[in-house]
Amino acid sequence: MPDQDQGPQESQSPNDSPRIGTHLLREGLITADQLRKALVLQGSRGKRLGEILVEMGALSAEALRQALSELYDVPAVDLERTYGDPFVLDTLPKDKAFELRVIPLFLVDNQLTVAMPDPNNLSKMDELRFLTGKQILPVLALESDIDRHLREYYGELDPWSSEVAIEFESLAGTPVDTAISLDDAEAERPLIRLVNLIIARAIQERASDIHVEPQENRVVVRYRIDGKLQVKPFNLPGTVASPVISRLKILSQLDISEKRVPQDGKVRVRYKGRRVDIRTSTFPTIFGEKAVMRLLDKERQDFRLENIGMSETILRQWRLLMRRREGIILVTGPTGSGKSSTLYATLRALDSPEINIVTLEDPVEYELQGITQGQVSERAGFTFARGLRSILRQDPDVVLVGEIRDLETAQIAVQASLTGHLVLSTLHTNDAPSTIIRLVDMGVPRFLVGASVIGILAQRLVRKVCPHCCDEAEPTDEEKEILRPWLDMGIPFRIGRGCDRCNGIGFRGRTGVHELVAVDRALQARIAAGDQAEALVRAARAEGYRPMWWDGLEKVVAGVTTLRELAGTVQADEHPENKLPGERKQEE
């Protein structure tokens, strides 16, 4: 029994037994005042006391985990770093796992390691022994981590009672032979279930890519969700690396006997009524072949200009450029910055029976109804340059060239724009003004660049704050300095706290941040006169050009994204000629 002068005591309850607050107070991890505030919040929130203290910022999750481990005298695990074996999930029915708030992690002989928030709960231990028929070795995990990872492990499907209902077919629509050469038919089923589970969960979680990476003693599975790679809880031994990769190669119609050189293949998946195209790439490593699968979800794409994150000002300027019937419009940015989505949305906005639109892509990622789409084939000699020449004989009004990669393609695009065609394409440059210099460096004469290019849009993608857990927060001193004009106007600072909808990350979905240079006569003259990048930037600023940093800041203020996310994606602009958007609004 603790001494009375140790501070307030929390009431005994199933959620906080033994008394964690007293232990944390005794260890000097929290103050009596913090405990008192947490107890008040506990009465209204109904959460465990330790979790509330973490939410308050009174102590870290790691400190709470260690304190509980000492208190219960059991090992603690961080489920962000410890990945269980997916093959042991079938030892406990999904509904019971959610009801008891436990996750089976490992099975060694007859001993099942189970993560749970209350390892001293004897009735729960007895029920687990009865349900599984195993000896239970409890390890401690925070309840919030368990709630989040239960969905990670079990998801919305139960692949262990019956095979995940996934159909595989070629992109031509014919079924894919998914047979695999294993001697034991029973040994084939867990492998099929595992691969299907990896793909199905990736589709469920809106992943754009799946990485299957063999390492020295294990196989790591990562999903790219909203632009960020996340390790998934598939604790796979290194011995399954070759069978898993072979299975993926069979599905993608690749040569499973060839493991020394990279290969590329594709397959179409039908899952719960959704059609997803998968492009598989394999790459030999020192521990075996790595596979990366790009998921192109036909149901999730919404190619509309209003939905890609353009500000009203940029969207209005972009629509004016689209109405032009000749010239080159370029979208620039690194790989994965949403350039194709912007171009597809532009084509959809342009599409009408009176306009002939023809594309040349590498590859065609999404099919657009009413638009003629072509795909280059380097192996057959059908390059961008050769394809573009052929397109011009198809009487097009609008031409989309997937990427300007070389001087020959650039020259043909310029000629097409000067002979009455609107040409859309992409380049890999850091910002809009430097695109001019990039074309000149490729060998296009300056006067032709100035005469043909009418608009350049540079963009990046940033993660959006999850709308389900978006909450006001206190910005750091650095954030206060940057956002002071808005904060002084009473505009709140928001972040995502993390919830089940966003898997505890605080972000869900992505949006674009943009900058646009519309090439007018003044800028054309400067391009032709030989101005370098800095002079072109100054000229563009004088005509209203603003780097994408400022577009991003306005999205931060609107609560769409966070300053940390923006700063990690876009180069900050500190040019003295620019004013903060908040200051500009005050002047207006």
Side-chain angles (χ1 to χ4, degrees):
M1 187 81 176
D3 295 334
Q4 304 244 336
D5 60 355
Q6 283 186 301
Q9 304 297 310
E10 70 275 25
S11 59
Q12 183 75 23
S13 72
N15 286 341
D16 289 300
S17 179
R19 297 181 175 180
I20 180 62
T22 302
H23 177 73
L24 294 172
L25 199 61
R26 183 185 299 119
E27 295 296 317
L29 296 173
I30 61 173
T31 65
D33 185 55
Q34 288 172 330
L35 177 56
R36 192 175 293 109
K37 290 179 180 177
L39 289 170
V40 172
L41 291 173
Q42 186 185 28
S44 60
R45 296 184 182 178
K47 292 185 177 181
R48 293 178 182 270
L49 185 64
E51 306 266 355
I52 291 175
L53 287 164
V54 172
E55 289 182 2
M56 290 170 49
L59 77 164
S60 67
E62 180 60 30
L64 175 62
R65 203 177 287 116
Q66 291 302 318
L68 290 171
S69 175
E70 296 171 3
L71 197 61
Y72 292 126
D73 193 27
V74 297
V77 296
D78 180 356
L79 293 178
E80 295 292 339
R81 295 181 174 87
T82 300
Y83 310 110
D85 184 348
F87 289 106
V88 307
L89 293 178
D90 58 349
T91 60
L92 184 66
K94 173 184 174 181
D95 58 342
K96 283 296 182 180
F98 275 83
E99 177 187 333
L100 299 175
R101 281 179 154 167
V102 298
I103 299 178
L105 294 177
F106 309 107
L107 179 61
V108 179
D109 296 329
N110 197 47
Q111 188 176 67
L112 181 65
T113 300
V114 179
M116 52 199 310
D118 48 358
N120 65 330
N121 190 325
L122 298 182
S123 62
K124 184 182 288 189
M125 294 281 288
D126 289 339
E127 186 171 0
L128 286 171
R129 276 192 288 268
F130 174 76
L131 290 169
T132 64
K134 312 292 183 185
Q135 293 298 315
I136 304 300
L137 177 64
V139 293
L140 183 136
L142 298 185
E143 189 171 81
S144 59
D145 288 347
I146 287 179
D147 288 345
R148 184 166 67 253
H149 283 82
L150 272 170
R151 290 172 175 79
E152 286 260 328
Y153 279 92
Y154 284 95
E156 299 176 1
L157 44 86
D158 184 1
W160 311 106
S161 58
S162 62
E163 188 174 331
V164 176
I166 292 183
E167 298 178 8
F168 298 94
E169 60 186 36
S170 70
L171 296 188
T174 57
V176 172
D177 182 8
T178 59
I180 190 167
S181 56
L182 293 178
D183 295 334
D184 185 358
E186 288 300 316
E188 179 179 342
R189 293 195 184 100
L191 177 65
I192 291 174
R193 289 200 302 251
L194 174 62
V195 172
N196 287 4
L197 175 63
I198 291 172
I199 296 173
R201 286 194 176 168
I203 296 172
Q204 284 182 345
E205 297 187 29
R206 305 174 299 106
S208 61
D209 301 87
I210 306 172
H211 292 237
V212 181
E213 305 169 337
Q215 298 184 357
E216 187 173 8
N217 298 312
R218 62 179 184 146
V219 179
V220 174
V221 178
R222 297 194 289 174
Y223 294 167
R224 187 177 294 279
I225 301 174
D226 295 333
K228 302 291 183 181
L229 279 173
Q230 303 175 17
V231 178
K232 293 289 125 178
F234 296 98
N235 193 56
L236 306 177
T239 53
V240 305
S242 182
V244 167
I245 297 298
S246 293
R247 173 71 178 166
L248 294 174
K249 291 170 73 173
I250 288 173
L251 294 176
S252 302
Q253 300 177 291
L254 299 177
D255 183 359
I256 63 172
S257 65
E258 180 56 76
K259 302 180 180 180
R260 300 165 299 173
V261 297
Q263 297 186 63
D264 295 297
K266 50 195 174 184
V267 67
R268 175 168 291 162
V269 169
R270 293 190 182 273
Y271 172 65
K272 290 188 175 181
R274 296 165 68 180
R275 188 185 72 177
V276 180
D277 289 350
I278 298 179
R279 303 187 186 278
T280 303
S281 170
T282 64
F283 184 79
T285 75
I286 58 174
F287 298 120
E289 290 179 285
K290 172 183 175 178
V292 175
M293 291 169 280
R294 168 64 58 88
L295 277 60
L296 304 173
D297 192 338
K298 308 294 184 181
E299 306 297 327
R300 198 160 55 87
Q301 291 297 328
D302 184 10
F303 296 120
R304 288 185 292 178
L305 285 173
E306 297 81 5
N307 295 339
I308 62 176
M310 284 188 184
S311 67
E312 292 183 9
T313 301
I314 291 179
L315 180 56
R316 184 168 58 253
Q317 291 177 306
W318 188 252
R319 290 190 183 280
L320 289 174
L321 290 172
M322 288 166 45
R323 295 195 187 107
R324 303 274 292 272
R325 285 296 170 255
E326 58 184 34
I328 298 177
I329 300 176
L330 296 170
V331 181
T332 75
T335 301
S337 59
K339 299 187 298 296
S340 295
S341 296
T342 298
L343 289 176
Y344 281 152
T346 303
L347 291 184
R348 279 201 57 181
L350 286 169
D351 187 30
S352 77
E354 294 81 23
I355 298 177
N356 180 23
I357 301 175
V358 186
T359 77
L360 186 61
E361 306 169 56
D362 184 22
V364 174
E365 295 186 356
Y366 296 96
E367 299 166 8
L368 302 176
Q369 291 187 353
I371 294 175
T372 303
Q373 294 177 267
Q375 182 169 300
V376 302
S377 174
E378 298 284 348
R379 185 175 300 176
F382 187 50
T383 62
F384 275 118
R386 184 174 178 180
L388 186 51
R389 287 195 184 93
S390 299
I391 285 176
L392 296 180
R393 293 192 288 271
Q394 293 288 310
D395 186 30
D397 297 297
V398 179
V399 177
L400 183 146
V401 182
E403 182 183 349
I404 295 179
R405 296 178 178 173
D406 51 44
L407 176 59
E408 186 179 11
T409 306
Q411 288 175 329
I412 300 172
V414 168
Q415 293 169 6
S417 71
L418 295 176
T419 53
H421 303 88
L422 182 65
V423 180
L424 308 176
S425 192
T426 68
L427 269 179
H428 292 279
T429 58
N430 292 327
D431 55 39
S434 65
T435 305
I436 302 295
I437 304 303
R438 172 76 179 117
L439 288 171
V440 172
D441 289 344
M442 290 175 67
V444 181
R446 278 182 170 272
F447 75 93
L448 288 180
V449 174
S452 59
V453 177
I454 61 174
I456 305 167
L457 180 78
Q459 67 179 61
R460 301 288 189 278
L461 292 177
V462 294
R463 292 181 295 174
K464 296 193 294 186
V465 172
C466 175
H468 306 287
C469 61
C470 181
D471 195 10
E472 293 187 26
E474 183 68 19
T476 65
D477 291 341
E478 183 179 3
E479 289 169 334
K480 287 179 180 177
E481 186 64 28
I482 296 174
L483 301 175
R484 189 170 304 281
W486 296 287
L487 298 175
D488 290 344
M489 289 188 291
I491 297 175
F493 179 81
R494 297 183 179 90
I495 63 171
R497 297 290 185 183
C499 65
D500 295 337
R501 302 285 188 91
C502 60
N503 291 327
I505 297 172
F507 296 95
R508 184 177 176 84
R510 289 191 292 175
T511 190
V513 289
H514 306 88
E515 62 183 37
L516 177 63
V517 171
V519 181
D520 58 11
R521 292 186 180 277
L523 194 54
Q524 283 181 346
R526 288 184 174 274
I527 294 170
D531 283 9
Q532 296 303 307
E534 292 184 4
L536 292 176
V537 170
R538 286 196 300 270
R541 286 181 190 269
E543 298 300 323
Y545 158 73
R546 295 176 63 81
M548 69 180 76
W549 172 254
W550 303 98
D551 183 46
L553 281 180
E554 291 182 334
K555 290 181 170 63
V556 172
V557 172
V560 175
T561 189
T562 68
L563 189 58
R564 181 175 299 178
E565 173 71 10
L566 176 66
T569 307
V570 178
Q571 177 68 38
D573 177 68
E574 300 177 355
H575 196 278
E577 293 180 11
N578 275 310
K579 291 183 179 180
L580 288 169
E583 294 174 330
R584 189 174 70 251
K585 289 176 182 177
Q586 284 179 325
E587 291 178 358
E588 293 174 352

